Amino acid sequence: MKKEIELVAMDIDGTILGKNKTLSERTKTVFQKAAEKGIHLVVASGRAVQAVPEEIRRLQGVEYVISSNGSSIFRLSDGQRIYEKDLTSDQIDALLAFYDGYSCPIEVFIQGHPYTSEAYYHEPEKFGADSLAAEYVRTTRCPVADIRQFIQKHKKEIEGVNFIVYDPELKKEMRSHLESFGGLYVTSSVPRYIEISHGDVCKRNALIWLNGFLGIPREHTVAFGDGENDLEMIQYAGIGVAMGNGTDGLKAAADVIARPCDEDGVARLLEEMLEI
């Protein structure tokens, strides 16, 4: 199944990182071989760029990171943010007014760095995080004493806002209200997150921009993902791939369904597509 491929865009969690949160040797080998063929490897994640594991950012061929669900594109060679679409000050004011009615933790991404309230940083387990997720929070987030005041101070430079909502009924209620605002992109990459960005944001729009920047047609692009926030990117790519562990909606929209992440689904399919 050899295809003419110039760019591979890939989500992280549940796509190239499985339950143990490390890249398999098979995946690293395939990425190296793809890079040697001159193929652009692009990370496309809901994570802030500074929360992307260093072993991924250092991979040969990984030149760009689409981060914060498409709010930003960072060029790794010099750390420059080459594409940006932040929330507006008015949107931040509306989100803070909405947040006053709830007591859940909150996160914000600013220039690639994630910040969160101290209570969540110190005890993420109280808010539904398992041991691996708790370690991720403590090793990637910067704790802030007064997160509301911090957001107000930086409201002209916020890529995205996350509400951490463990109760599924409360999450459903909050998400419904947020979606009624208009002008916002609201998604969820993991069950306890509501992720909010500017309405023009999604991984697809960032990938469209990057394809234009690099002069690569969509037909020569393959994209891999597993979750709701990958849907638009999967629909856009010349070859949209859902992981075997992906959501039903994503699988229905995909051109191809790969083996699950923990079975090296991305690596296996790229070996077939690129004959490597």
Side-chain angles (χ1 to χ4, degrees):
M1 193 172 71
K2 186 175 182 180
K3 304 286 184 180
E4 188 173 1
I5 294 170
E6 297 182 67
L7 185 150
V8 176
M10 50 204 166
D11 176 50
I12 296 179
D13 301 285
T15 300
I16 58 173
L17 288 188
K19 293 175 182 176
N20 64 3
K21 297 300 179 184
T22 60
L23 285 175
S24 72
E25 289 304 315
R26 183 173 187 172
T27 298
K28 286 189 275 190
T29 298
V30 168
F31 286 168
Q32 181 178 345
K33 289 180 178 179
E36 289 169 355
K37 284 177 168 282
I39 293 169
H40 299 274
L41 302 176
V42 177
V43 171
S45 176
R47 296 186 184 214
V49 68
Q50 292 301 321
V52 174
E54 191 171 351
E55 71 166 339
I56 294 176
R57 285 187 276 135
R58 287 189 173 184
L59 281 173
Q60 179 184 349
V62 177
E63 306 160 280
Y64 303 95
V65 173
I66 295 171
S67 62
S68 304
N69 285 323
S71 297
S72 304
I73 301 176
F74 285 87
R75 184 170 53 212
L76 293 179
S77 61
D78 58 8
Q80 289 297 305
R81 189 185 186 202
I82 62 171
Y83 170 89
E84 58 187 62
K85 178 59 74 172
D86 291 338
L87 286 156
T88 67
S89 295
D90 287 346
Q91 288 173 328
I92 292 298
D93 287 339
L95 287 171
L96 286 175
F98 172 79
Y99 180 59
D100 282 344
Y102 299 93
S103 59
C104 63
I106 191 171
E107 299 179 334
V108 291
F109 297 164
I110 299 173
Q111 294 292 323
H113 294 272
Y115 300 85
T116 193
S117 45
E118 282 187 341
Y120 181 58
Y121 175 83
H122 291 298
E123 295 185 287
E125 296 90 347
K126 282 189 174 181
F127 304 95
D130 60 21
S131 58
L132 277 176
E135 180 66 14
Y136 168 68
V137 170
R138 294 188 186 107
T139 55
T140 60
R141 271 52 178 161
C142 300
V144 176
D146 187 334
I147 191 68
R148 196 184 191 288
Q149 184 182 69
F150 180 81
I151 291 170
Q152 267 292 356
K153 180 179 179 181
H154 295 277
K155 68 179 181 178
K156 293 183 178 180
E157 49 183 334
I158 294 177
E159 299 172 72
V161 173
N162 292 346
F163 293 118
I164 295 89
V165 190
Y166 184 51
D167 181 333
E169 289 303 314
L170 179 59
K171 178 184 174 182
K172 183 178 178 181
E173 172 194 315
M174 291 177 68
R175 180 165 181 169
S176 177
H177 283 304
L178 289 164
E179 288 174 340
S180 73
F181 281 19
L184 297 176
Y185 175 65
V186 183
T187 189
S188 179
S189 60
V190 293
R192 58 196 176 86
Y193 272 44
I194 304 175
E195 298 156 57
I196 307 138
S197 308
H198 188 282
D200 293 335
V201 161
C202 65
K203 294 182 182 182
R204 174 196 62 212
N205 291 350
L207 185 56
I208 289 171
W209 186 93
L210 186 59
N211 274 4
F213 179 75
L214 296 173
I216 296 173
R218 65 182 293 185
E219 293 79 12
H220 297 177
T221 299
V222 58
F224 292 86
D226 73 302
E228 175 188 329
N229 61 335
D230 299 311
L231 177 63
E232 296 90 351
M233 177 175 72
I234 295 302
Q235 292 172 323
Y236 161 76
I239 306 170
V241 183
M243 306 305 295
N245 52 281
T247 65
D248 290 342
L250 197 70
K251 290 178 185 178
D255 301 304
V256 180
I257 298 176
R259 299 279 288 274
C261 174
D262 285 313
E263 296 178 24
D264 289 328
V266 172
R268 288 173 184 265
L269 194 56
L270 287 179
E271 286 169 347
E272 185 179 349
M273 287 179 168
L274 304 176
E275 295 183 355
I276 54 178

